[in-house]
Amino acid sequence: MYRILIFILLAALGSCSGQRSLQKAYLGKSQSVLAEKFGKPKTVLDYGDEKVYVYEIVNELKSTEISQAKLTLDPMISPMVEKTERYYFTVKDEKITKVKLEEEYKR
């Protein structure tokens, strides 16, 4: 009984991840969808019969006060961070076959 419950829980967690939703949105679709959504790729890696298109989106996350749920004289403030999202789309025969997302944070 516990094994079934654990399996269902793991399956639910795996299906809700950002990577999984990205795969659902783009796998099997045409390469032209990428140009509409992301524009021009930053890099194109050619591996013979398939190509990997790399798109990069950079966002600046501003500093904000961190709530400590208590009264303090010195508030805690998170530092400003630069968030870089890299999307890797593997395209074979004009169809997207693999999707990968990397996120990087830089102070």
Side-chain angles (χ1 to χ4, degrees), residues 2-4 6 11 18 22 40 46 55 64-66 80-81 89 93-94 101 103 106:
Y2 289 113
R3 289 182 183 174
I4 294 172
I6 291 173
L22 191 63
K40 186 178 175 187
D46 192 1
Y55 295 91
T64 185
E65 186 173 340
I66 300 172
M80 186 176 84
V81 176
F89 294 97
D93 299 327
E94 299 296 320
L101 169 65
E103 294 179 333
K106 197 183 294 183

Side-chain angles (χ1 to χ4, degrees), residues 6-69:
I6 291 173
F7 178 74
I8 291 172
L9 181 64
L10 289 175
L13 288 174
S15 66
C16 297
S17 71
Q19 181 74 29
R20 182 71 180 145
S21 63
L22 191 63
Q23 288 177 350
K24 284 182 182 179
Y26 292 104
L27 278 182
K29 299 219 173 148
S30 174
Q31 175 188 353
S32 62
V33 173
L34 299 177
E36 294 172 6
K37 173 72 175 165
F38 296 100
K40 186 178 175 187
K42 183 166 180 88
T43 308
V44 178
L45 306 170
D46 192 1
Y47 295 115
D49 61 340
E50 62 183 24
K51 293 183 179 182
V52 177
Y53 291 85
V54 181
Y55 295 91
E56 194 170 284
I57 299 173
V58 178
N59 294 320
E60 285 191 10
L61 304 176
K62 304 211 183 287
S63 62
T64 185
E65 186 173 340
I66 300 172
S67 175
Q68 297 178 4

Side-chain angles (χ1 to χ4, degrees), residues 74-92:
D74 298 327
M76 291 183 66
I77 298 177
S78 68
M80 186 176 84
V81 176
E82 186 176 276
K83 178 182 177 184
T84 304
E85 297 175 326
R86 283 188 198 90
Y87 296 90
Y88 297 90
F89 294 97
T90 304
V91 177
K92 185 175 183 178

